[in-house]
Amino acid sequence: MMLPWKTASQSLVIRLAHLDQSPYSKFFSFNTHLNRVVHQHLTCADYLNLPEAKLDYFLASFVRNPYDRVYSGFRQIQADIVAQPYLHYDKVWV
């Protein structure tokens, strides 16, 4: 399941947690396949560069009203500004 930002991604993660076999971090981390820092909200182009893309999985994603998504994103960023200094990163340089 692709998880675009602000399109029910956390609801899906919680509901389908028992099926999650991903070896990747859900938080910011360095991805060796992409050679950069990423998080759980990959683009389809990023996904296509992961080893899993060669397994011919079906892809699914939700779409959201653009205005609602922008407003929700704005509120999320406001909350993240408060929480960010207290979050734990796997590596300090990330």
Side-chain angles (χ1 to χ4, degrees):
M1 178 63 87
M2 297 297 292
L3 298 173
W5 191 59
K6 305 312 297 173
T7 55
S9 58
Q10 292 307 305
S11 299
L12 285 170
V13 167
I14 291 167
R15 184 69 176 116
L16 302 175
H18 65 285
L19 300 173
D20 186 4
Q21 298 176 358
S22 175
Y24 304 109
S25 172
K26 304 293 185 255
F27 196 53
F28 291 95
S29 62
F30 183 79
N31 185 293
T32 56
H33 302 290
L34 301 174
N35 199 32
R36 64 183 180 83
V37 174
V38 296
H39 51 80
Q40 68 180 348
H41 301 293
L42 291 177
T43 64
C44 190
D46 284 340
Y47 170 76
L48 294 175
N49 288 305
L50 295 177
E52 291 82 356
K54 295 167 185 50
L55 298 175
D56 291 328
Y57 289 143
F58 288 102
L59 294 180
S61 181
F62 286 95
V63 178
R64 186 172 181 180
N65 175 314
Y67 175 80
D68 291 338
R69 185 176 182 207
V70 167
Y71 183 67
S72 180
F74 172 77
R75 290 184 31 208
Q76 181 71 51
I77 289 170
Q78 298 303 308
D80 288 349
I81 289 171
V82 174
Q84 204 73 20
Y86 305 105
L87 298 177
H88 172 72
Y89 293 88
D90 291 339
K91 302 210 182 322
V92 175
W93 61 269
V94 171

